[in-house]
Amino acid sequence: MAEDADHFAIAGRRLASRLLLGTSRYPSPAALADCVARAGPGLLTVSVRRSAGGGNAFYELLKEAGPPLVPNTAGCRTVAEACRTASMARELLGTNWVKLELIGDDETQAPDPFALVEAAEQLLREDYVVLAYCTEDLALCTRLAPIGSGQGLNHPERLALLRQRLAGSVLVVDAGIGRPSDAAAAMELGYDAVLLNTAVALAREPAPMAAAFRAAVDAGRTAYRAGIMPRHDMAQPSTLAPDIPVERYHPHKETQTQ
Amino acid sequence: MSAAAAITVRLNGEEREVAADSSAAQAVDAWRRDPAAPYAVSVNGEHVPRPRLAARALRPGDEIEVWTLRQGG
């Protein structure tokens, strides 16, 4: 296993980490900066919104933090709205990357898959790198490949199927991750990265939680690459009793005879 | 000052009076307090890239939005 060769890239750009972090809902700008330092994220997501006139401090803080900034289209409900937001974000941040969100239902924030595909196609024609925020529907994700993101781990079997069917695509699990074990589980399924926000920002102590998620993403990824043992229906002792021949634990292994 | 009458536009949701021959660039520059902050502008719901703001003449009732970076997930 070539651990040192496990690079992660989206659209040909190498990212420093498989943990991606949102910038919303932290108790303070200083807390956000601490979390970025502890998480070491591959990128930071931001939004673009009406300005209050001044306020360059947030931008300076993020620039200082270091990871690339990726704008989202949070709150957009139509294709036109999302494409305009992406265009303004592109000028604002000087990036053609966009996390495309198109909300179909206010109560659940569930994405509108039809508008999402239409907007993604339009943005791809305009040379954007589109990270589409979608559900784990196989046909939908196939349309949105190479890059998609799922909603948490509510349906791990669907996520596993998606990973299997879209083996060559970059797949990120986003939203619905509450604890580090969720992040590790997503990575164990072979997902390329995890995008988090609230689980860190709303922790009692966000910075240590950021560190915990970093460790969990690393653990899950390493486990996936190491090859997780298949599930067994019957228990097998992991310690060999001295009076039982080794062959009895490994009946498939040929006994060495001389 | 020319004799051009003032017109009323809306900038980030607030009514503002500007000279009738104002460009979008003039209205936006007069409003922004921090020149270093990144921004992008739309007029009547359409993104107008910064290099084109000076050529965009304002008309009564125009809705100008100045956007910047915010927290997001």
Side-chain angles (χ1 to χ4, degrees):
Chain A
M1 187 171 94
E3 283 181 84
D4 54 349
D6 186 28
H7 299 311
F8 172 46
I10 295 178
R13 179 174 186 175
R14 191 184 294 179
L15 302 179
S17 167
R18 293 171 182 275
L19 171 56
L20 318 177
L21 196 62
T23 57
S24 194
R25 307 182 75 180
Y26 292 83
S28 67
L32 168 59
D34 284 348
C35 287
V36 174
R38 297 288 294 273
L43 58 79
L44 294 171
T45 56
V46 295
S47 68
V48 288
R49 285 280 186 283
R50 185 185 273 187
S51 166
N56 198 33
F58 181 59
Y59 180 57
E60 291 297 330
L61 184 152
L62 295 184
K63 256 199 330 191
E64 187 77 16
L69 305 180
V70 175
N72 66 28
T73 62
C76 290
R77 287 174 184 77
T78 65
V79 173
E81 227 181 338
C83 291
R84 182 191 62 202
T85 301
S87 175
M88 290 177 75
R90 187 176 192 163
E91 183 179 38
L92 248 165
L93 287 168
T95 178
N96 64 337
W97 286 36
V98 63
K99 183 188 167 204
L100 181 62
E101 298 182 35
L102 259 158
I103 300 307
D105 178 64
D106 287 339
E107 286 292 312
T108 60
Q109 295 288 294
D112 175 341
F114 307 101
L116 193 65
V117 169
E118 190 183 335
E121 286 173 346
Q122 184 171 326
L123 292 170
L124 288 170
R125 281 195 298 273
E126 294 170 21
D127 196 32
Y128 284 85
V129 173
V130 180
L131 289 84
Y133 176 75
C134 59
T135 53
E136 63 273 78
D137 181 88
L138 177 57
L140 174 64
C141 289
T142 304
R143 287 286 293 274
L144 291 168
I147 296 156
S149 60
Q151 283 185 302
L153 294 170
N154 295 331
H155 306 288
E157 70 291 343
R158 281 195 228 161
L159 286 177
L161 176 73
L162 196 62
R163 177 70 285 179
Q164 194 186 345
R165 298 287 291 132
L166 298 176
S169 302
V170 174
L171 293 173
V172 180
V173 173
D174 173 18
I177 288 184
R179 52 185 68 206
S181 53
D182 297 335
M187 298 306 291
E188 286 172 10
L189 287 172
Y191 276 73
D192 294 283
V194 163
L195 173 51
L196 299 167
N197 192 146
T198 314
V200 172
L202 296 190
R204 184 164 46 82
E205 293 188 49
M209 187 59 83
F213 270 106
R214 179 183 197 159
V217 168
D218 283 347
R221 177 65 184 175
T222 305
Y224 170 70
R225 297 188 78 223
I228 295 166
M229 65 172 273
R231 187 182 293 275
H232 292 293
D233 291 333
M234 302 294 285
Q236 291 182 327
S238 55
T239 302
L240 304 181
D243 55 343
I244 300 177
V246 170
E247 309 84 73
R248 282 195 40 203
Y249 292 103
H250 301 286
H252 57 282
K253 203 183 254 183
E254 284 186 25
T255 310
Q256 299 282 321
T257 50
Q258 204 59 29
Chain B
M1 175 102 187
S2 74
I7 59 169
T8 302
V9 296
R10 290 182 76 84
L11 202 157
N12 281 8
E14 289 177 8
E15 286 197 348
R16 290 180 74 86
E17 292 219 327
V18 299
D21 56 359
S22 293
S23 69
Q26 287 170 314
V28 169
D29 288 344
W31 180 82
R32 293 175 68 233
R33 293 197 302 273
D34 186 347
Y39 71 104
V41 177
S42 71
V43 180
N44 299 336
E46 270 186 41
H47 177 209
V48 181
R50 288 194 297 262
R52 285 197 240 143
L53 286 172
R56 174 62 166 83
L58 291 181
R59 294 183 282 269
D62 275 347
E63 299 260 359
I64 307 160
E65 291 272 331
V66 184
W67 284 14
T68 194
L69 201 60
R70 289 290 178 87
Q71 292 88 342

